[in-house]
Amino acid sequence: MDEEQPPYLAPTIAYVKDQLAQAEGGHDWYHVERVWRLARRLAAAEDTDLSVVDLGALLHDVADAKFHHGDESIGPRKARQFMERLALGPGISDHVVKIIEQVSFRKSGVHTEPFSRELAVVQDADRLDAMGAIGIARAFNFGGHKGRPLHVPPEEHWEKPPAATVQHFYDKLLLLKEGMHTELGQALAEERHRFMQTFLAQFYAEWHGRR
Ligand code: ADP
Ligand code: NI
């Protein structure tokens, strides 16, 4: 099967790879590639504009606010500037910019309804990449990047508790299953959620020398 790629793809991939060349391991090109792949898979079962899904997924992390002193406007602005180079149909760039503005968990919370099916798909894909085996790997990588402990048992929270990576599972990762917008996303989230629960049970058992 010889599928012709839409003309915006190659320049967008090259741009994103270049922008993310120095990115931390959980937010690098491979994160974007996984989200893109999954977004396309979710989109296949939805009524969506594929160019919006492609561009939204590929451009969603070009400038994460966490690594830009909390500035939430840089990513959408950079993406808009980049898309001016592409010959896109009317409304595409505006739609993609809105997706980039709203895709993040921090900005939208788990339960916000997406304004479009294209956002629903990209947001589900981005959240799924924070779950399961990959999600676990990304969390510990992020914690290591920040010099955080793996885990601090509750009985030792006698002072201000340090932000341990295991705590992030309860603050975010185990909540993500409730916020899926697509049917396939929901099914995949349930499997990835169970995997994280299994991981935590084994982690605590090993922590206490029970297994
Ligand atoms: P988003 O970009 O979707 O808003 P984040 O940037 O908060 O999400 O998270 C991106 C990745 O970094 C996810 O895999 C997330 O689990 C991980 N991460 C974010 N904050 C923490 C943390 N405090 N501890 C461990 N991992 C984290
Ligand atoms: Ni992302």
Side-chain angles (χ1 to χ4, degrees):
M1 197 173 66
D2 185 27
E3 269 187 79
E4 206 174 300
Q5 295 285 26
Y8 57 78
L9 268 189
T12 305
I13 291 168
Y15 171 75
V16 175
K17 282 184 176 169
D18 179 58
Q19 292 299 308
L20 296 180
Q22 309 298 327
E24 168 266 335
H27 262 107
D28 55 7
W29 159 252
Y30 295 111
H31 161 64
V32 171
E33 191 181 41
R34 289 189 301 270
V35 170
W36 176 41
R37 203 180 283 136
L38 201 48
R40 278 192 152 201
R41 188 175 158 207
L42 300 179
E46 302 276 326
D47 183 19
T48 52
D49 178 334
L50 187 62
S51 64
V52 172
V53 171
D54 279 344
L55 290 164
L58 287 168
L59 294 167
H60 86 276
D61 266 337
V62 281
D64 192 297
K66 267 199 299 317
F67 306 113
H68 290 85
H69 312 283
D71 187 340
E72 306 273 2
S73 69
I74 293 183
R77 195 163 357 107
K78 279 174 60 176
R80 184 185 290 287
Q81 267 169 20
F82 166 73
M83 283 185 286
E84 283 167 12
R85 294 188 224 160
L86 306 173
L88 299 172
I92 303 272
S93 167
D94 287 342
H95 191 163
V96 172
V97 168
K98 270 176 81 178
I99 288 177
I100 298 167
E101 284 168 349
Q102 297 193 26
V103 73
S104 162
F105 172 80
R106 273 162 294 126
K107 280 165 262 173
S108 61
V110 176
H111 294 294
T112 318
E113 264 313 297
F115 72 89
S116 74
R117 291 320 285 162
E118 289 79 0
L119 171 61
V121 155
V122 175
Q123 194 165 50
D124 276 10
D126 193 33
R127 287 172 172 180
L128 281 163
D129 204 55
M131 302 179 72
I134 298 275
I136 293 168
R138 290 178 76 209
F140 285 101
N141 185 66
F142 186 95
H145 192 74
K146 296 267 182 191
R148 292 182 178 159
L150 303 178
H151 173 51
V152 178
E155 60 271 22
E156 283 168 35
H157 284 183
W158 39 267
E159 256 181 35
K160 190 174 178 292
T165 299
V166 164
Q167 184 56 40
H168 183 64
F169 285 74
Y170 301 95
D171 295 342
K172 171 173 172 180
L173 305 185
L174 294 168
L175 311 180
L176 292 172
K177 171 172 77 72
E178 302 307 322
M180 288 292 138
H181 311 301
T182 65
E183 208 173 306
L184 178 56
Q186 181 67 46
L188 297 174
E190 273 161 31
E191 189 183 342
R192 291 181 189 211
H193 185 88
R194 277 197 299 277
F195 188 85
M196 292 192 292
Q197 287 178 316
T198 303
F199 168 81
L200 286 172
Q202 177 79 19
F203 184 97
Y204 294 130
E206 291 179 11
W207 187 275
H208 294 287
R210 290 196 298 267
R211 246 186 252 167

Short mmCIF file of all heavy atoms in Angstrom, two decimals, residues 77-99:
data_model
loop_
_atom_site.label_atom_id
_atom_site.label_comp_id
_atom_site.label_asym_id
_atom_site.label_seq_id
_atom_site.Cartn_x
_atom_site.Cartn_y
_atom_site.Cartn_z
N ARG A 77 2.47 30.38 20.39
CA ARG A 77 3.00 31.43 19.52
C ARG A 77 4.00 30.85 18.51
O ARG A 77 3.97 31.17 17.31
CB ARG A 77 3.67 32.52 20.38
CG ARG A 77 3.91 33.79 19.63
CD ARG A 77 4.18 35.04 20.50
NE ARG A 77 4.10 34.86 21.92
CZ ARG A 77 5.17 34.83 22.74
NH1 ARG A 77 6.39 34.97 22.27
NH2 ARG A 77 5.01 34.68 24.05
N LYS A 78 4.90 29.99 19.01
CA LYS A 78 5.88 29.37 18.12
C LYS A 78 5.19 28.51 17.06
O LYS A 78 5.57 28.52 15.89
CB LYS A 78 6.85 28.49 18.93
CG LYS A 78 7.95 29.28 19.59
CD LYS A 78 8.80 28.41 20.50
CE LYS A 78 9.50 27.27 19.79
NZ LYS A 78 10.39 26.51 20.71
N ALA A 79 4.17 27.77 17.49
CA ALA A 79 3.48 26.89 16.55
C ALA A 79 2.78 27.72 15.46
O ALA A 79 2.82 27.39 14.28
CB ALA A 79 2.46 26.04 17.30
N ARG A 80 2.15 28.82 15.87
CA ARG A 80 1.45 29.68 14.90
C ARG A 80 2.44 30.23 13.87
O ARG A 80 2.19 30.19 12.66
CB ARG A 80 0.73 30.82 15.61
CG ARG A 80 -0.10 31.69 14.65
CD ARG A 80 -0.72 32.89 15.34
NE ARG A 80 -1.79 32.57 16.28
CZ ARG A 80 -3.02 32.15 15.92
NH1 ARG A 80 -3.33 32.01 14.65
NH2 ARG A 80 -3.92 31.89 16.85
N GLN A 81 3.58 30.72 14.38
CA GLN A 81 4.61 31.25 13.47
C GLN A 81 5.07 30.17 12.49
O GLN A 81 5.20 30.42 11.30
CB GLN A 81 5.82 31.72 14.28
CG GLN A 81 5.76 33.20 14.61
CD GLN A 81 6.83 33.57 15.62
OE1 GLN A 81 7.81 32.85 15.79
NE2 GLN A 81 6.65 34.69 16.30
N PHE A 82 5.30 28.99 13.03
CA PHE A 82 5.76 27.90 12.15
C PHE A 82 4.72 27.59 11.08
O PHE A 82 5.05 27.44 9.90
CB PHE A 82 6.08 26.63 12.96
CG PHE A 82 6.21 25.44 12.09
CD1 PHE A 82 7.34 25.28 11.28
CD2 PHE A 82 5.20 24.48 12.00
CE1 PHE A 82 7.46 24.19 10.42
CE2 PHE A 82 5.31 23.40 11.14
CZ PHE A 82 6.44 23.25 10.35
N MET A 83 3.46 27.51 11.47
CA MET A 83 2.42 27.10 10.51
C MET A 83 2.20 28.12 9.39
O MET A 83 1.65 27.77 8.34
CB MET A 83 1.11 26.79 11.25
CG MET A 83 1.14 25.43 11.93
SD MET A 83 -0.44 24.97 12.68
CE MET A 83 -0.49 26.04 14.11
N GLU A 84 2.68 29.36 9.60
CA GLU A 84 2.58 30.34 8.51
C GLU A 84 3.37 29.90 7.28
O GLU A 84 3.07 30.29 6.16
CB GLU A 84 3.05 31.72 9.00
CG GLU A 84 1.99 32.40 9.84
CD GLU A 84 2.49 33.62 10.61
OE1 GLU A 84 3.63 34.07 10.31
OE2 GLU A 84 1.76 34.09 11.51
N ARG A 85 4.40 29.06 7.50
CA ARG A 85 5.21 28.55 6.39
C ARG A 85 4.49 27.47 5.60
O ARG A 85 4.91 27.10 4.51
CB ARG A 85 6.48 27.88 6.92
CG ARG A 85 7.43 28.78 7.60
CD ARG A 85 8.70 27.96 7.86
NE ARG A 85 9.20 28.21 9.20
CZ ARG A 85 10.02 27.39 9.84
NH1 ARG A 85 10.41 26.26 9.30
NH2 ARG A 85 10.46 27.70 11.04
N LEU A 86 3.44 26.88 6.17
CA LEU A 86 2.75 25.78 5.50
C LEU A 86 1.54 26.33 4.77
O LEU A 86 0.92 27.28 5.23
CB LEU A 86 2.29 24.74 6.54
CG LEU A 86 3.32 24.19 7.50
CD1 LEU A 86 2.65 23.33 8.56
CD2 LEU A 86 4.39 23.39 6.77
N ALA A 87 1.20 25.74 3.65
CA ALA A 87 0.02 26.20 2.91
C ALA A 87 -1.20 25.44 3.44
O ALA A 87 -1.63 24.46 2.83
CB ALA A 87 0.22 25.96 1.42
N LEU A 88 -1.73 25.88 4.57
CA LEU A 88 -2.84 25.17 5.20
C LEU A 88 -4.17 25.78 4.80
O LEU A 88 -4.24 26.97 4.49
CB LEU A 88 -2.69 25.20 6.72
CG LEU A 88 -1.43 24.54 7.28
CD1 LEU A 88 -1.30 24.82 8.77
CD2 LEU A 88 -1.45 23.05 7.02
N GLY A 89 -5.20 24.97 4.83
CA GLY A 89 -6.54 25.46 4.53
C GLY A 89 -7.01 26.43 5.61
O GLY A 89 -6.40 26.53 6.68
N PRO A 90 -8.10 27.15 5.32
CA PRO A 90 -8.60 28.17 6.26
C PRO A 90 -9.00 27.56 7.61
O PRO A 90 -9.59 26.48 7.66
CB PRO A 90 -9.82 28.76 5.53
CG PRO A 90 -10.18 27.77 4.49
CD PRO A 90 -8.94 27.04 4.12
N GLY A 91 -8.64 28.23 8.68
CA GLY A 91 -9.08 27.80 10.00
C GLY A 91 -8.21 26.73 10.65
O GLY A 91 -8.30 26.50 11.85
N ILE A 92 -7.36 26.07 9.87
CA ILE A 92 -6.58 24.95 10.41
C ILE A 92 -5.63 25.44 11.50
O ILE A 92 -5.58 24.90 12.62
CB ILE A 92 -5.77 24.25 9.30
CG1 ILE A 92 -6.68 23.78 8.19
CG2 ILE A 92 -4.92 23.12 9.89
CD1 ILE A 92 -7.27 22.42 8.36
N SER A 93 -4.88 26.49 11.17
CA SER A 93 -3.87 26.97 12.11
C SER A 93 -4.52 27.46 13.42
O SER A 93 -4.03 27.15 14.51
CB SER A 93 -3.07 28.09 11.43
OG SER A 93 -2.31 28.78 12.37
N ASP A 94 -5.64 28.16 13.32
CA ASP A 94 -6.34 28.64 14.53
C ASP A 94 -6.79 27.47 15.39
O ASP A 94 -6.67 27.50 16.62
CB ASP A 94 -7.57 29.47 14.15
CG ASP A 94 -7.21 30.84 13.60
OD1 ASP A 94 -6.04 31.27 13.82
OD2 ASP A 94 -8.06 31.46 12.94
N HIS A 95 -7.30 26.46 14.74
CA HIS A 95 -7.77 25.27 15.47
C HIS A 95 -6.60 24.58 16.19
O HIS A 95 -6.69 24.23 17.37
CB HIS A 95 -8.47 24.32 14.48
CG HIS A 95 -9.22 23.20 15.13
ND1 HIS A 95 -10.17 22.46 14.49
CD2 HIS A 95 -9.15 22.67 16.38
CE1 HIS A 95 -10.66 21.53 15.30
NE2 HIS A 95 -10.05 21.64 16.46
N VAL A 96 -5.49 24.43 15.48
CA VAL A 96 -4.31 23.76 16.06
C VAL A 96 -3.78 24.57 17.25
O VAL A 96 -3.44 24.00 18.29
CB VAL A 96 -3.22 23.56 14.98
CG1 VAL A 96 -1.92 23.06 15.61
CG2 VAL A 96 -3.71 22.59 13.91
N VAL A 97 -3.74 25.88 17.10
CA VAL A 97 -3.25 26.73 18.20
C VAL A 97 -4.14 26.55 19.43
O VAL A 97 -3.65 26.44 20.56
CB VAL A 97 -3.18 28.22 17.78
CG1 VAL A 97 -2.97 29.13 18.98
CG2 VAL A 97 -2.07 28.42 16.76
N LYS A 98 -5.44 26.48 19.23
CA LYS A 98 -6.35 26.28 20.37
C LYS A 98 -6.12 24.92 21.03
O LYS A 98 -6.19 24.80 22.26
CB LYS A 98 -7.82 26.39 19.91
CG LYS A 98 -8.34 27.82 20.02
CD LYS A 98 -9.75 27.96 19.48
CE LYS A 98 -10.83 27.53 20.48
NZ LYS A 98 -12.19 27.73 19.90
N ILE A 99 -5.84 23.93 20.23
CA ILE A 99 -5.54 22.60 20.79
C ILE A 99 -4.28 22.69 21.66
O ILE A 99 -4.26 22.18 22.79
CB ILE A 99 -5.37 21.56 19.66
CG1 ILE A 99 -6.74 21.25 19.04
CG2 ILE A 99 -4.70 20.29 20.19
CD1 ILE A 99 -6.70 20.30 17.87
#
